Amino acid sequence: MPFLPATRRDRRTRPVRRRARRTPPGSRRARGVRVALWTVVALCVGSYAASLLVPLYFQVQEQRLLIVVSGSMSPYIDAGDAVVMKQIENPAELRVGQVVSFWPQDSEVLQTHRIIRLEILPVLEQDESTGRMVPKLDEATGEPITRPYIFTKGDANDEPDPNATPVNRVRGVVLAVHPGWGAVLGWAHSATGRFVMLGPPLLILAGMEVAAVVQARRARARRPALGIERSQVDDLLFE
Amino acid sequence: MDDLLQEMIRPAGPSAADRARRRRFVASAATVGLAVVGVSSLTTSALFRDNDDAGVSGFTTGSVSISGTPVDEVITTDPLVAPGDTSYAVLDVLNDGSLEHRYAIEYAATNRNSAQAPADRPVPDLASVVDIGLYALPTGAACDAAFVASAQPLVPVQKLAAGAENVLLGSRTDGVQGGERTLIAGASEQLCVSLGLPIGAGNEYADATTDLVFTFFAEQTKNN
């Protein structure tokens, strides 16, 4: 055991409890600023997280959220609304009057309109001799090959849609409409929305880190030297 | 010295500055993580717009099909039809395909002697003196003299022409040629046809008949 100076014997009987250094209490103003900044960070990040969780919530239930950008189904669905859509597994689930989302025959853009008629049409081929379209026959059974179609119309449109749509191009049936959700979620998921909602928190956090580094350096500069040489410590330790 | 030894034996916990730094790091990591999740397929597949391009299950071609009431309108100059008389007939046109289409109409007119005419009499060209008119018939309207008198014809009233492939409305040539009518999928309409024997038709047209067969030519309107 190393020899300890007599003046420190008392201390040996009383273990010294070490506590972590406490940062000096900031002024009320500084604390308020930190609280405000952290509030901004929490609000922005929390809002963005909510915008991700909402569609995922529906996806977990095997549904999808569709943002409607056209007003052809007004007033039932307005542009900027979001609809909850469920994919259909069986064409027999379709009914006249249902609102469905589908890809029209002439487009790869999803459209949401109401079914006004369901019909089974024959698949046609041109008779080379007469030029007329005749039903195509199944080679195995000799029966005409048919295909189910939906005829649709937007509630706000005067005329039905020009083309019928095969049922296999129906994406899903609309279960519910949430007014205004589409505009909010669409913006949040856009590049602009991500930048606005996540950029400020990252800037704030970076700024707080820089401020902490500067503050730590200033604190070290102000701290007095201990007055103990390194060689003295080594001597005591390895004696 | 005691402080130093105590520091070595029982190191103090993280300082407040370290905890603050850890909070900032966690917050930054969470923010960046959310941004990554936001652009991943996990969320992009849960939310989409109705103007998005998306995969389509299967590629299905539509059909263009038209059916019209073929009219074998018989015009005969027997005592029932006299010069100055006009006959009316309705053509029902149906788009029974799955695509919107435009259609044109041609007709074939065949002259013949009616049963009352002598068998060896040369067939008069009755078609060349008969006037044909074509009108769009509104739903619920009757195709008769009163309607024709006030309606706008789809094509100018013209003399029939004997033979086949006589153009009546539009053109069978691909693309918009002018004059064709458009029908959306599943839609139907009626056309009113008037056939008139002018008051000045001579005796050579007595006991004569013209048979008319109308042929419809339909093509898709999309991309055409």
Side-chain angles (χ1 to χ4, degrees), chain A residues 54-219:
Chain A
V54 167
L56 285 176
Y57 165 76
F58 289 99
Q59 190 174 16
V60 166
Q61 301 180 75
E62 298 184 346
Q63 298 168 354
R64 294 289 186 276
L65 268 187
L66 173 68
I67 300 175
V68 177
V69 299
S70 73
S72 61
M73 279 295 297
S74 180
Y76 181 63
I77 305 173
D78 288 320
D81 292 348
V83 298
V84 180
M85 189 175 60
K86 182 176 173 59
Q87 190 170 5
I88 60 163
E89 301 296 335
N90 186 351
E93 300 175 36
L94 295 176
R95 297 285 183 273
V96 172
Q98 283 179 327
V99 178
V100 295
S101 293
F102 57 95
W103 292 283
Q105 292 203 68
D106 57 350
S107 173
E108 297 300 321
V109 173
L110 211 60
Q111 195 166 64
T112 303
H113 280 177
R114 194 179 298 276
I115 297 177
I116 58 173
R117 197 162 89 240
L118 294 164
E119 202 162 319
I120 295 178
L121 299 176
V123 176
L124 302 175
E125 59 183 359
Q126 192 168 39
D127 186 323
E128 297 294 333
S129 58
T130 64
R132 294 193 63 83
M133 301 299 290
V134 296
K136 189 174 182 181
L137 302 179
D138 188 310
E139 292 180 358
T141 64
E143 295 294 321
I145 300 173
T146 59
R147 187 175 292 146
Y149 284 83
I150 60 170
F151 292 76
T152 54
K153 177 180 176 297
D155 286 357
N157 295 341
D158 294 331
E159 297 293 329
D161 296 333
N163 302 317
T165 301
V167 167
N168 67 344
R169 292 178 72 91
V170 176
R171 180 66 177 83
V173 178
V174 171
L175 300 179
V177 179
H178 294 287
W181 282 29
V184 174
L185 290 174
W187 178 83
H189 285 240
S190 67
T192 303
R194 279 194 295 272
F195 179 79
V196 170
M197 296 173 79
L198 300 181
L202 288 175
L203 285 176
I204 290 172
L205 292 168
M208 291 169 72
E209 181 65 23
V210 169
V213 169
V214 170
Q215 191 177 21
R217 286 184 178 178
R218 287 178 181 171

Side-chain angles (χ1 to χ4, degrees), chain B residues 7 11 14 26 39 45 73 80-81 91 95 101 105 111 115 126 133 135 146 164 183-184 203 208 222:
Chain B
E7 189 75 29
V26 170
V39 295
S45 65
E73 185 65 22
L80 295 179
V81 176
L91 295 179
N95 180 351
H101 68 222
I105 304 176
N111 295 311
L126 175 63
Y135 307 84
L183 276 179
I184 64 174
N203 292 333
K222 185 62 181 178

